[in-house]
Structure formats: C-alpha cells, structure tokens
Amino acid sequence: MFFMTAACTNSEGLPEESDTELLDAIEAEASADTAGEVDIPAAKKEYDGQLLAQVVFDSVDYIVSREQLLQPFIQEFGDGTVVDKVMIRKVQDDKKSAPAYYVVGIGLLNGAFRSMALQLDVASDNSLYLGSAATKYICNGTTSCGFCLFIFKGNEIIGCSCDGGDPSDTTNCKQQITEGNTLLKRGVKLRRYRDLTEG
C-alpha cells in the first residue's frame, strides 16, 4: 500500500515510468518469495524397518527367531486370536518376476482360523525388513473352514479362500486389509541369531 501511494505522482494517478519499473521489481520479488515457499520440500519420514531375515540360496535365514514374533502377532490381532505359528513365505508369480516375501502369523480365534500377512522389504543384499508402512492382510475364517489361503495376483494378495473350497466363495474366509501396522512398534526388543531354514 505504501509503494502504491508513493508511486502515484501525476494528476491522473498513473505511475511514472521509473515507478512502474519499481512496482514490477516488487511484484517479481513477491512472486519469487511465494514460489520459494511452495518449493520447500516436505520432511521425509525416516524408514523404520527392522531386519528379520536374509535370503541365502533360495532359503530363508531367520535372523530373528519366529518364536519372538508370536506375541507381537497376538498383540497386532488385538482380539484374542492365539498365534502359534510364524513363518516367512516367498511368493513368485514366475521365474522372470522378482519374488516377494511375507511374514505370516497363523492362529485361532474361538476355534476359527485366522492368519495375518505383512509384506517385507527386500534390500539389495536380500535382507528382509519389516516396516510400519507394510499393509496388513488378514484372513478371517469361520469354524467350518479349517484353513484359509491367501489368493495372489502376481505377488500381491488380493483375497482369501478356504482350502479345498471354491476360490470364488469368500463366505467361509473373509479378507480384511489395513494400511500400515504396529507389529514391531510396541516396545518389541528383538534378539538376533541365525537359523537357516528351507524357504
């Protein structure tokens, strides 16, 4: 406002030519400041993945014991599901595509089958990490379904099906998907050791 008042010097209220240059410079500076604010990059979230295993010659070398992950899976279900088995499973659509790896917890809730799968991040040295951004896939079976299978398209989980039943029938085995997980975020302290198991 101050600059506009100072610039209007002639009787018709139009700025002098030199004052026009001044206004152009001020507007350009203001635009540059605004552009600078827009261009400030947002702070990147630090990766929080924890090392669980490593792939060695097509076998999974467990660096964290599966027993240590039982209680975290029970807490992640958070509904009374008792998890008694944890494993890392390789999924590969064909030999040409890169494999994906999932850590899977399997258990029961009131006699009904439950399983949870979280996709692991694969490092360049074939180390397998679980981060909190990994999507959580759950298969909720009924008491009439002894075992639910994850259905894959490529390397991605797209549903659940009762083992031995019609894959299109999802009534006995329903899928639940949640973005992100807190499996290793509840103060879990993992002890490192090595256990080479066939993948």
Side-chain angles (χ1 to χ4, degrees), residues 78-128:
D79 57 4
T81 297
V82 178
V83 177
D84 60 0
K85 189 171 186 179
V86 173
M87 68 194 76
I88 291 174
R89 281 291 172 253
K90 172 183 173 182
V91 178
Q92 189 172 20
D93 191 37
D94 56 59
K95 293 292 183 184
K96 294 179 182 177
S97 62
Y101 293 86
Y102 291 84
V103 59
V104 182
I106 298 172
L108 294 172
L109 174 63
N110 300 324
F113 180 87
R114 304 291 303 284
S115 65
M116 180 189 298
L118 304 163
Q119 187 167 0
L120 300 174
D121 297 315
V122 184
S124 58
D125 64 351
N126 288 329
S127 294
L128 304 178

Side-chain angles (χ1 to χ4, degrees), residues 17-127:
E17 186 175 338
S18 59
D19 291 334
T20 303
E21 291 173 5
L22 176 62
L23 286 176
D24 289 344
I26 292 168
E27 287 174 8
E29 187 176 333
S31 297
D33 287 346
T34 305
E37 289 172 10
V38 172
D39 291 339
I40 294 173
K44 290 184 178 178
K45 187 177 178 182
E46 188 176 336
Y47 180 68
D48 62 357
Q50 293 192 47
L51 177 65
L52 296 185
Q54 189 168 31
V55 180
V56 181
F57 298 117
D58 250 0
S59 296
V60 175
D61 180 2
Y62 288 85
I63 295 171
V64 172
S65 72
R66 289 172 277 182
E67 289 74 22
Q68 288 186 68
L69 297 173
L70 292 174
Q71 193 59 37
F73 265 106
I74 290 170
Q75 292 175 337
E76 188 70 9
F77 273 111
D79 57 4
T81 297
V82 178
V83 177
D84 60 0
K85 189 171 186 179
V86 173
M87 68 194 76
I88 291 174
R89 281 291 172 253
K90 172 183 173 182
V91 178
Q92 189 172 20
D93 191 37
D94 56 59
K95 293 292 183 184
K96 294 179 182 177
S97 62
Y101 293 86
Y102 291 84
V103 59
V104 182
I106 298 172
L108 294 172
L109 174 63
N110 300 324
F113 180 87
R114 304 291 303 284
S115 65
M116 180 189 298
L118 304 163
Q119 187 167 0
L120 300 174
D121 297 315
V122 184
S124 58
D125 64 351
N126 288 329
S127 294

Side-chain angles (χ1 to χ4, degrees), residues 126-147:
N126 288 329
S127 294
L128 304 178
Y129 291 83
L130 175 63
S132 61
T135 302
K136 178 168 54 180
Y137 301 91
I138 296 177
C139 283
N140 300 303
T142 62
T143 52
S144 61
C145 178
F147 191 86

